[in-house]
Amino acid sequence: MSVGSEISRPPVMEDVAKLAGVSHQTVSRVLNAHPNVSPQTRERVEKAIAELGYRRNTAARSLVTRRSQTIGVLGSDMSHYGPANTLLGVEQAARDKGYFVSMASLSEVTPAAIKDALEYFMMQSVDGIVVIVPHETMFESLSTISMAVPLVAVGFGVDERLSVAAVNQRMGASLAVQHLVDLGHAAIAHVSGPPDWIDAAARIDGWQRTLAQAGLADSVLIRGDWSAESGYRAGLELADAGSVTALFAANDQMALGALRAFSEAGLRVPQDISVVGYDDQPEAAYFVPPLTTVNQGFKELGARCMQMLLFDMANGHSGASSVVNPKLVVRSTTAPPSVGQ
């Protein structure tokens, strides 16, 4: 009869050690991915863990290490592609490092709601917090709150009071607009995100700066709300005006709406008007035509968040910043303007 069949209680580390024929310390080294374990021994221990169905007692472990192995993630607007995929990137990176994620989402971004959410995490004894709330209000609130655990903010500007991980949004916008300029477009409109989003403001700035460097005007700015519907309305407005040859949309959903509007107005993409989106969501490659867009690197952003959080947990607050550079993905919605445009 195997050790596994004799156990009527949940298996403990000593049971794994007995079945694998190793010491308690060796099992601990395997569980903690210690390098000084031979492949053969590691395989025996992992086989014993699987046979017994052993699970770590995280509560007991936290009493010893004073760590809960849990990261709190505070978010808002998770229905949108950018924040949702930033969360997925953080969650995957946390899991890879052996941490669980506790999620809290704000229904409204106010100082009181932010304070309540952070207190909720502290009651859970989280080891660190990642904040994915791309609103100016959040930045202002975090700058005035003193936390007992490390905190990394996603998407904010450099501030020595905060550890910050971000995508270089100005660079992403510049890549999109410069691509259109290099193709020969001189009249490039922008459909932006909401004005209270930090990323939306940075993309507007990148659009304006790139046009200014090329000696071009930035007069055609339409405010959107990230939805395909707002992109559709903007596309109808631009088609009716007939004053631009290219559009830079601040996300792929608004670009999708614009593509439909242009089709309904009888404009061919890219022959009559070029379109660049932002995010590189998986469906972008299957738009009609396939969408030229900007990839933000959400997986890398999540990894950077965890790297910074683990560093601050080990060494104290750093106030450092880490920036991910986005990449332009060229597909079929961009081309030189037609002769005579």
Side-chain angles (χ1 to χ4, degrees):
M1 183 180 291
S2 71
V3 173
S5 63
E6 297 172 352
I7 298 174
S8 59
R9 55 172 169 73
V12 296
M13 196 179 295
E14 287 78 5
D15 299 321
V16 176
K18 183 177 179 180
L19 182 58
V22 298
S23 68
H24 176 281
Q25 291 80 2
T26 298
V27 176
S28 178
R29 290 190 186 100
V30 171
L31 290 171
N32 290 289
H34 197 283
N36 294 335
V37 180
S38 71
Q40 296 83 359
T41 299
R42 187 180 302 278
E43 184 178 353
R44 287 208 316 276
V45 172
E46 289 175 346
K47 183 178 179 181
I49 289 172
E51 182 175 338
L52 293 172
Y54 170 75
R55 295 291 182 272
R56 278 186 174 186
N57 186 333
T58 55
R61 187 170 185 267
S62 67
L63 290 174
V64 176
T65 64
R66 297 181 182 272
R67 293 284 178 86
S68 66
Q69 293 301 115
T70 302
I71 300 299
V73 178
L74 178 58
S76 70
D77 303 292
M78 288 300 170
S79 61
H80 296 294
Y81 183 82
N85 280 270
T86 302
L87 168 62
L88 289 175
V90 170
E91 187 175 31
Q92 180 176 337
R95 190 167 57 250
D96 290 344
K97 296 296 183 180
Y99 284 82
F100 299 99
V101 168
S102 176
M103 176 68 192
S105 183
L106 297 175
S107 57
E108 56 178 356
V109 184
T110 65
I114 294 164
K115 182 180 179 182
D116 288 346
L118 295 178
E119 288 178 351
Y120 164 76
F121 284 139
M122 297 313 298
M123 286 189 294
Q124 289 189 318
S125 300
V126 299
D127 298 328
I129 298 172
V130 176
V131 177
I132 311 171
V133 184
H135 296 267
E136 193 64 41
T137 303
M138 174 59 80
F139 177 71
E140 295 167 356
S141 297
L142 291 179
S143 298
T144 63
I145 295 174
S146 178
M147 294 298 300
V149 298
L151 183 150
V152 173
V154 177
F156 302 129
V158 177
D159 187 312
E160 64 182 12
R161 294 166 294 184
L162 297 171
S163 294
V164 177
V167 175
N168 189 335
Q169 303 294 346
R170 289 181 178 82
M171 176 184 177
S174 180
L175 289 171
V177 178
Q178 190 61 54
H179 171 63
L180 293 168
V181 170
D182 291 344
L183 287 171
H185 293 277
I188 303 170
H190 181 46
V191 179
S192 75
D196 61 333
W197 281 61
I198 295 173
D199 290 352
R203 291 171 201 173
I204 291 173
D205 187 56
W207 168 69
Q208 291 173 327
R209 290 188 185 192
T210 307
L211 289 179
Q213 290 170 358
L216 302 174
D218 60 2
S219 57
V220 186
L221 171 63
I222 302 174
R223 295 283 185 180
D225 61 11
W226 301 127
S227 70
E229 181 183 355
S230 68
Y232 175 75
R233 293 195 303 267
L236 291 178
E237 182 179 334
L238 293 171
D240 184 61
S243 59
V244 302
T245 63
L247 168 65
F248 165 44
N251 77 340
D252 290 347
Q253 284 297 303
M254 293 191 295
L256 174 61
L259 287 174
R260 165 147 182 200
F262 294 149
S263 177
E264 290 182 359
L267 293 177
R268 299 167 301 163
V269 177
Q271 294 91 336
D272 300 320
I273 188 165
S274 286
V275 178
V276 180
Y278 205 101
D279 279 342
D280 193 25
Q281 63 184 65
E283 297 83 2
Y286 300 94
F287 288 1
V288 181
L291 182 66
T292 295
T293 185
V294 176
N295 186 299
Q296 296 199 61
F298 292 115
K299 184 176 180 180
E300 176 63 21
L301 180 61
R304 299 279 186 95
C305 287
M306 280 306 300
Q307 288 171 5
M308 297 179 72
L309 201 57
L310 291 172
F311 180 88
D312 286 1
M313 286 161 56
N315 301 284
H317 174 68
S318 64
S321 61
S322 182
V323 179
V324 175
N325 290 330
K327 298 177 181 179
L328 180 70
V329 180
V330 178
R331 296 193 178 101
S332 303
T333 56
T334 51
S338 299
V339 176
Q341 281 188 308

